[in-house]
Amino acid sequence: MRTITHLVVHCTATPKHTTIASIRRYWKEALGWKSVGYHKIIEATGNIVTLAEDSKVTNGVAGHNSTSLHVSYIGGKDTDDRSIGQRQAIAGVLLEWLKKYPTARICGHRDFAGVTKDCPRFSAEKEYGYLYLTAAGTPSQEG
Ligand SMILES: [Zn+2]
């Protein structure tokens, strides 16, 4: 298993009903990426779609991908427009990851040095930092 040091939250910076198919097409055709941008992506309904297994390296934050896992909500074009379902789904994904990688830190894309874009448009550690305690107090599903 690779060493995971960061659990990174993103927004797609698109309108909130943008389809996953069109986002994947953009990565492949416009950016020329061979891999996807995130491990998990969360639709406006709060539905979580896995795009890559944890073991795979994705294209979330240049220079940090080998040690990171990435989750993104669809939206965030101009503001933090997460639905309640998306807020909860992000927490669910981060909690599962924290149980598997208890030493990893929750952060936003914008928290990395040199990043100028406001992704995911809110402070991920401030909002989801309580999950460290939740994860530590809950036995792992993995046993
Ligand atoms: Zn991002």
Side-chain angles (χ1 to χ4, degrees), residues 40-134:
K40 292 184 190 289
I41 195 165
I42 300 168
E43 295 173 310
T45 57
N47 184 46
I48 301 166
V49 177
T50 297
L51 301 180
E53 296 304 316
D54 294 4
S55 58
K56 296 276 187 287
V57 174
T58 64
N59 262 335
V61 182
H64 298 276
N65 290 313
S66 65
T67 53
S68 302
L69 288 171
H70 302 278
V71 57
S72 181
Y73 68 95
I74 297 178
K77 188 174 188 327
D78 303 302
T79 60
D80 176 5
D81 57 0
R82 284 171 298 158
S83 65
I84 302 284
Q86 285 176 315
R87 286 170 190 262
Q88 291 172 341
I90 293 169
V93 168
L94 291 174
L95 183 59
E96 283 308 304
W97 282 346
L98 275 176
K99 288 182 194 169
K100 286 196 227 171
Y101 311 100
T103 58
R105 303 301 300 179
I106 292 169
C107 64
H109 186 177
R110 69 182 189 182
D111 300 323
F112 286 85
V115 174
T116 53
K117 57 182 166 183
D118 183 16
C119 173
R121 300 199 178 278
F122 64 94
S123 170
E125 185 153 42
K126 202 166 158 190
E127 181 164 336
Y128 293 110
Y130 73 94
L131 292 170
Y132 295 126
L133 287 173
T134 312

